[in-house]
Amino acid sequence: MQPAKNRTELWMDLALVAFLIGFDVTARILPHVPGVWPVAASALFAGRTLRWPWLAFVVPFGAVAASNLVLPGDHWQVLVAVAAALCVPALLGMLARRWSGIAPTAAAMIASSLVFFGLTNFAVWAFDGLYPMTWQGIADCYIAALPFLDRTVLGDLAWAAALSGGAWLALHGPELAKRPL
């Protein structure tokens, strides 16, 4: 590959990363349904589409770090768990690149949502001090979080569909507009 092409592709990837981070920060700061924000879907989308896949990990870290400058803070351990859990979709997006279609994206997104639920609620139990450090405490923590699980899964799937569908339209829309009705 030519160096100029490498630089152009890197700059295009960096522009997409900057857009996704800005989009995610805006979505996290504006009023939204609890548990429904696009960071995981953006990380998955970045992992599936960037020509420089390692940049996909920048999306969730950048979005969480930038939005937490404005949002009320959690314990740093919980924030680390959130950021780590949001890197899972980036990794799964990279792994799902070899398959095309909706099914691999949906499967990766659902798996990511479940990992996010498991890891972040464990961190809340372990570090926030809201629940006793007992088996009953961890059970109570996960039970209290159950109302957010369906919103997280459905929201992640909706955001993944919106991002993937938007990218598809950006690529194929001009061709479709030229077709006669």
Side-chain angles (χ1 to χ4, degrees):
M1 202 177 287
Q2 300 167 339
K5 187 174 180 183
N6 278 344
R7 281 194 301 273
T8 301
E9 288 178 351
L10 178 60
W11 282 109
M12 289 175 66
D13 278 1
L14 289 173
L16 180 58
V17 166
F19 167 78
L20 290 172
I21 290 171
F23 178 72
D24 292 345
V25 168
T26 302
R28 282 194 79 202
I29 292 172
L30 291 177
H32 59 278
V33 175
V36 180
W37 31 295
V39 181
S42 294
L44 180 76
F45 179 75
R48 280 191 62 97
T49 60
L50 292 173
R51 288 168 287 249
W52 298 71
W54 58 271
L55 284 172
F57 294 110
V58 175
V59 173
F61 277 119
V64 169
S67 59
N68 281 340
L69 294 173
V70 177
L71 296 173
D74 284 318
H75 286 71
W76 70 268
Q77 299 98 325
V78 174
L79 289 176
V80 169
V82 167
L86 289 171
C87 284
V88 170
L91 178 63
L92 292 180
M94 287 181 235
L95 295 173
R97 292 170 86 115
R98 63 186 83 183
W99 298 287
S100 62
I102 295 169
T105 301
M109 195 75 268
I110 291 168
S112 297
S113 300
L114 295 175
V115 168
F116 182 84
F117 178 82
L119 186 59
T120 58
N121 286 296
F122 182 83
V124 166
W125 170 75
F127 303 116
D128 262 358
L130 297 173
Y131 301 95
M133 301 300 287
T134 63
W135 288 110
Q136 185 62 47
I138 196 167
D140 290 344
C141 180
Y142 280 106
I143 289 168
L146 279 176
F148 298 98
L149 180 58
D150 62 338
R151 291 185 221 163
T152 300
V153 172
L154 294 174
D156 285 349
L157 287 170
W159 281 116
L163 289 168
S164 297
W168 187 89
L169 278 175
L171 291 173
H172 300 287
E175 296 168 17
L176 294 174
K178 292 178 186 175
R179 290 185 185 171
L181 296 174

